[in-house]
Amino acid sequence: MRILDGAIFIADAHENAKRSQFLKLIKSFNSGTLPLPPQIFLVGDIFDFLSSTSYTQIFYKEWIEELNLLAKKSEIHYFEGNHDFNLSSVFKGITIYPISSQPAIFTLYDKRVAIAHGDIFLGFFTQNILKFLRNNRFLKLMDFIDKSLNHKISKWILSTQKDKNLSYKIPNFKELISQKIANYQGDIVIEGHYHQGVRFEINSKDYINLPCFASERSYFIVEYADEIKFQLIRSPNV
């Protein structure tokens, strides 16, 4: 599948009661206040905690409605992260990529672009814990328990997330990525997850780590000109 001119990439919005800049952005696309992008790539952790569980869909009702409306106008690709997963029943008109389908390969001219949230190709223990937490049977059980407790578990999870520090730098980040970059079969690699907002070349691959939208209010837009450009855009205060 081809990445279109004007496509935008957003990662790590971590929307919560105290963070709603992403909601304002998609409402601006829906209302026509901002030009509608032809493609939107949501590269994981758009929400602090959203899944097929009951309370999270109540909590994020407005976000869900606005995104489903936007999907009728723009092509949306949603890469599940470690904070938002099992979303196929939540977003009907959006192409969902669970962790098992990441990285997904797209094209830019003759370049192969590998896209993933970023929490893949990790150690055996970490990777399997992440998969277990996304397990549908486990989530159904936890949702049942959560309902019986008046959603105290979900409310507690969301409350622990709303004040956390999302702006930080990882020492030796390039060396960290070099340990897993060979697993990506692409010329360009695009990830979220790490909140670093950097771009560099490593092992003949062009690596892009998207900025944390929650703290930077920034995203990448693709521009087709004499050459492909990924331009960093700051979201207007709409």
Side-chain angles (χ1 to χ4, degrees):
M1 188 175 292
R2 183 169 173 261
I3 297 175
L4 302 178
D5 184 22
I8 67 171
F9 287 77
I10 300 173
D12 299 286
H14 289 277
E15 295 281 282
N16 205 323
K18 287 189 174 182
R19 290 185 292 270
S20 60
Q21 191 63 36
F22 174 75
L23 176 62
K24 293 177 183 178
L25 180 66
I26 58 177
K27 289 177 77 170
S28 296
F29 289 144
N30 275 327
S31 67
T33 304
L34 293 177
L36 185 70
Q39 275 179 326
I40 301 171
F41 291 83
L42 303 177
V43 193
D45 287 1
I46 301 302
F47 302 91
D48 260 341
F49 175 39
L50 176 62
S51 187
S52 54
T53 53
S54 303
Y55 182 75
T56 61
Q57 292 182 59
I58 296 170
F59 187 86
Y60 289 114
K61 183 176 183 291
E62 187 176 6
W63 284 261
I64 293 168
E65 290 176 347
E66 289 289 338
L67 267 177
N68 280 326
L69 176 61
L70 186 57
K72 296 178 180 179
K73 309 172 187 180
S74 183
E75 180 183 306
I76 303 180
H77 299 269
Y78 199 126
F79 292 78
E80 294 183 347
N82 48 298
H83 286 259
D84 41 8
F85 40 81
N86 285 39
L87 299 177
S88 59
S89 63
V90 179
F91 298 115
K92 301 299 183 182
I94 296 174
T95 304
I96 304 294
Y97 301 84
I99 191 171
S100 58
S101 299
Q102 300 180 34
I105 302 297
F106 290 75
T107 59
L108 269 174
Y109 286 149
D110 60 340
K111 302 290 187 182
R112 286 164 51 86
V113 184
I115 306 173
H117 174 59
D119 57 336
I120 56 175
F121 308 131
L122 303 176
F124 176 83
F125 179 78
T126 302
Q127 200 72 73
N128 279 282
I129 286 293
L130 290 172
K131 287 182 179 179
F132 176 76
L133 293 175
R134 292 171 166 95
N135 182 273
N136 193 46
R137 290 182 179 178
F138 172 74
L139 286 173
K140 285 183 177 179
L141 173 62
M142 293 307 298
D143 193 35
F144 175 79
I145 296 172
D146 195 36
K147 286 179 182 177
S148 68
L149 296 174
N150 193 30
H151 303 297
K152 286 185 178 180
I153 298 174
S154 292
K155 291 175 182 178
W156 175 78
I157 292 172
L158 285 164
S159 69
T160 62
Q161 299 297 304
K162 63 184 180 181
D163 293 317
K164 66 182 179 181
N165 177 32
L166 297 169
S167 181
Y168 50 82
K169 290 300 178 184
I170 299 175
N172 304 315
F173 181 62
K174 190 171 183 178
E175 286 75 11
L176 171 68
I177 296 304
S178 69
Q179 297 173 22
K180 71 171 191 173
I181 195 78
N183 293 293
Y184 281 100
Q185 303 305 308
D187 306 295
I188 302 171
V189 176
I190 300 177
E191 290 187 321
H193 187 57
Y194 296 105
H195 299 196
Q196 297 304 288
V198 295
R199 181 177 183 178
F200 48 74
E201 184 174 321
I202 184 167
N203 296 347
S204 300
K205 298 180 190 292
D206 188 7
Y207 177 82
I208 298 172
N209 185 249
L210 298 168
C212 174
F213 187 87
S215 57
E216 302 293 334
R217 280 199 10 237
S218 299
Y219 56 86
F220 273 98
I221 183 169
V222 178
E223 294 186 347
Y224 281 76
D226 295 332
E227 60 177 349
I228 295 294
K229 294 181 180 179
F230 289 91
Q231 184 177 349
L232 184 63
I233 301 292
R234 183 166 175 79
S235 174
N237 189 22
V238 290

